[in-house]
Amino acid sequence: MADVFQWVMSAANHKGMVNALAHDIRQAMADQTDLPIKAVFDLLPLEAANADEIIGKGGGKFKISGNQFENVSDDEVVAELYDPVLKEHVVSLPATFGGTLDDTDGMLTITFQPALSLEIAELADLGVQRSAFQWIVSIALTDEVSLTTLHDQTSENFHTWIEAELVDDRTREMKISADVTDIATFKSRDACAGDPSDPNWYVYQKRGGLCFPRHGRIAVGGSLHYTLLAGPATKDVCDQYISINCENDFC
């Protein structure tokens, strides 16, 4: 039976980026083509101390076969990451890791097999009976939310749902499984890096037509996958540009 801690945070400013990522994964599934790690990493609202090492792992790509994905390299990579809410955290990427992809009823679910090891001190510091050592079991993406499921390495019955809301005032329709015995919810501060009034927002277009706003420039090399269309400007100005100039967007 599971004891669930639900960690909810707003990520509305990153809706375009997260939805663009989901689109890229779905396209790779449909085409049965490799998915570049660079294309994934550029759309995540994370900072990484060793970004080049992460992006280059296993030839810099996920192999897609059917509903399976896999990355194979000679060595494990320890990803040192930073997020405004999660703070510093570390994900261990084994030499070979992968899992399954499922796209059902508008929800794209990425299940890691085996689960990935995560060290996240901020979770333990919340005082909710969770250790800093977790397993990343899955990530589910819809147009409105990103939900990461963690299992505590010290007790498999202690689960954590990290829920990043991509729209404000989202209507909740929670489907709680029968094995959940207790659930507690904590709302954290805004997870969005970048104030909407900050004049450092840009508009990028995915090769293929999808537009999205991003706070800050995509790193050198991102031009292989994305074209800079506008900016720097405030997020409102970037949103207006997209509404006028982009037929297909995620805003």
Side-chain angles (χ1 to χ4, degrees):
M1 305 299 283
D3 178 299
V4 173
F5 169 60
Q6 186 183 28
W7 192 358
V8 182
M9 59 199 69
S10 172
N13 282 350
H14 293 308
K15 174 179 169 61
M17 295 163 60
V18 174
N19 286 349
L21 173 59
H23 174 272
D24 286 0
I25 296 173
R26 287 184 170 108
Q27 194 66 54
M29 291 173 63
D31 296 342
Q32 291 291 286
T33 56
D34 294 346
L35 181 64
I37 298 176
K38 175 71 175 170
V40 174
F41 197 78
D42 279 336
L43 291 172
L44 295 175
L46 297 171
E47 298 176 16
N50 57 334
D52 290 344
E53 186 180 15
I54 297 168
I55 291 168
K57 184 181 183 304
K61 60 189 176 184
F62 292 105
K63 298 285 292 184
I64 306 292
S65 179
N67 70 335
Q68 309 278 326
F69 70 95
E70 187 177 53
N71 175 270
V72 179
S73 63
D74 294 331
D75 301 300
E76 176 187 54
V77 170
V78 177
E80 303 170 21
L81 306 172
Y82 175 82
D83 173 271
V85 172
L86 306 181
K87 304 300 183 183
E88 290 85 4
H89 53 290
V90 175
V91 179
S92 297
L93 304 175
T96 297
F97 77 98
T100 61
L101 302 167
D102 178 75
D103 189 15
T104 303
D105 296 332
M107 177 179 289
L108 176 64
T109 303
I110 305 159
T111 302
F112 298 100
Q113 297 174 341
L116 300 180
S117 181
L118 165 69
E119 182 178 353
I120 176 169
E122 189 72 6
L123 178 57
D125 290 344
L126 291 178
V128 291
Q129 297 183 297
R130 298 300 186 270
S131 78
F133 301 97
Q134 302 287 321
W135 297 114
I136 305 176
V137 176
S138 64
I139 300 172
L141 304 173
T142 74
D143 288 344
E144 296 189 344
V145 68
S146 166
L147 178 64
T148 301
T149 298
L150 308 179
H151 290 179
D152 201 299
Q153 292 186 23
T154 64
S155 174
E156 277 293 315
N157 293 330
F158 282 0
H159 299 181
T160 297
W161 299 344
I162 299 179
E163 184 174 334
E165 297 187 324
L166 304 177
V167 295
D168 295 324
D169 302 320
R170 185 173 69 88
T171 300
R172 295 177 173 277
E173 295 183 0
M174 297 293 295
K175 294 183 178 179
I176 309 300
S177 61
D179 67 339
V180 174
T181 58
D182 186 45
I183 183 167
T185 300
F186 171 72
K187 279 207 167 191
S188 189
R189 60 191 178 279
D190 196 333
C192 296
D195 188 323
S197 62
D198 187 318
N200 288 298
W201 287 82
Y202 297 82
V203 175
Y204 281 90
Q205 182 177 36
K206 168 71 178 177
R207 296 298 172 85
L210 297 171
C211 301
F212 58 91
R214 176 189 169 90
H215 182 259
R217 294 289 299 270
I218 283 179
V220 173
S223 57
L224 294 174
H225 308 287
Y226 311 102
T227 301
L228 174 62
L229 297 182
T234 64
K235 185 171 186 296
D236 282 347
V237 171
C238 289
D239 286 342
Q240 290 172 13
Y241 178 95
I242 289 173
S243 67
I244 295 170
N245 296 283
C246 299
E247 293 183 3
N248 298 314
D249 64 78
F250 286 132
C251 300

